[in-house]
Amino acid sequence: MVRKSLHNPADFEEIIQRISQLNRDSSGRWGKMNVSQMLTHCDLVLQVALGKVELPEINILFKTIGKVTKREMQIFNNGIPRNMPTFQKLIANFECDFDESKTNLLNTLMEFRTVSENKDLPRSHRLFGNMTEKDWGFLEYKHLDHHLKQFNV
């Protein structure tokens, strides 16, 4: 079973190409975000891996759910369920400029690639627990793939 990852150059380029297909009129198949908000949300999520956004502490129940979800995704290579709750800090429920949001996400992706190549990604995540470089590449790919599918690319 092939597990795509942002660490794989071909998978990384695939994500870049899919993002480039978006335009300000792209509409989502589910959820409340418009395309600009989705780009900002994805940028914020990647910034967690870069240590630029710190997530709040969560209770043991949510930590357990997060660890089980991570493991399930690794075993079954499944995607993220639609309309799944997220940290309030990562929700872009404000007006976002499309061009700025797209540029920011692409720049953050390039920074993620550099930090990853330097083996400098965090060793843990508030929801998913202990993280390896492989975990970050896999889960960040899955998250971007989920939202790009949301907007038909």
Side-chain angles (χ1 to χ4, degrees):
M1 181 180 332
V2 175
R3 284 185 175 72
K4 294 192 174 189
S5 170
L6 289 184
H7 298 318
N8 179 323
D11 299 338
F12 186 89
E13 188 56 35
E14 170 209 320
I15 290 293
I16 299 291
Q17 292 304 316
R18 289 168 66 190
I19 292 169
S20 71
Q21 293 176 38
L22 294 167
N23 62 63
R24 66 182 74 252
D25 298 320
S26 296
S27 59
R29 300 181 326 186
W30 70 84
K32 298 175 184 174
M33 291 185 288
N34 64 37
V35 66
S36 301
Q37 291 169 324
M38 178 274 289
L39 291 166
T40 298
H41 165 72
C42 288
D43 183 41
L44 290 168
V45 169
L46 273 169
Q47 287 185 43
V48 171
L50 299 174
K52 293 182 175 186
V53 171
E54 187 173 335
L55 298 176
E57 285 288 339
I58 57 174
N59 68 42
I60 190 71
L61 174 64
F62 287 114
K63 284 182 183 182
T64 302
I65 291 169
K67 289 175 184 178
V68 169
T69 300
K70 178 179 95 171
R71 190 72 183 129
E72 178 186 335
M73 287 174 64
Q74 290 169 329
I75 292 169
F76 299 108
N77 198 25
N78 56 357
I80 298 169
R82 292 180 182 183
N83 300 310
M84 188 172 161
T86 191
F87 287 91
Q88 186 67 34
K89 203 170 197 174
L90 303 177
I91 296 173
N93 57 358
F94 47 87
E95 195 62 36
C96 301
D97 177 78
F98 175 78
D99 293 322
E100 182 180 337
S101 298
K102 189 173 181 179
T103 298
N104 288 345
L105 175 56
L106 291 170
N107 288 339
T108 302
L109 268 165
M110 297 310 287
E111 187 175 353
F112 176 87
R113 175 189 242 171
T114 300
V115 169
S116 176
E117 287 171 353
N118 292 333
K119 307 270 190 249
D120 204 20
L121 293 169
R123 300 286 177 233
S124 67
H125 185 281
R126 292 273 198 233
L127 180 63
F128 298 124
N130 292 336
M131 296 284 283
T132 64
E133 297 285 325
K134 186 176 178 181
D135 292 336
W136 281 111
F138 174 74
L139 292 170
E140 292 292 357
Y141 177 90
K142 285 291 190 181
H143 183 255
L144 288 161
D145 179 62
H146 167 79
H147 286 295
L148 292 169
K149 284 178 180 174
Q150 178 185 6
F151 284 85
N152 295 305
V153 294

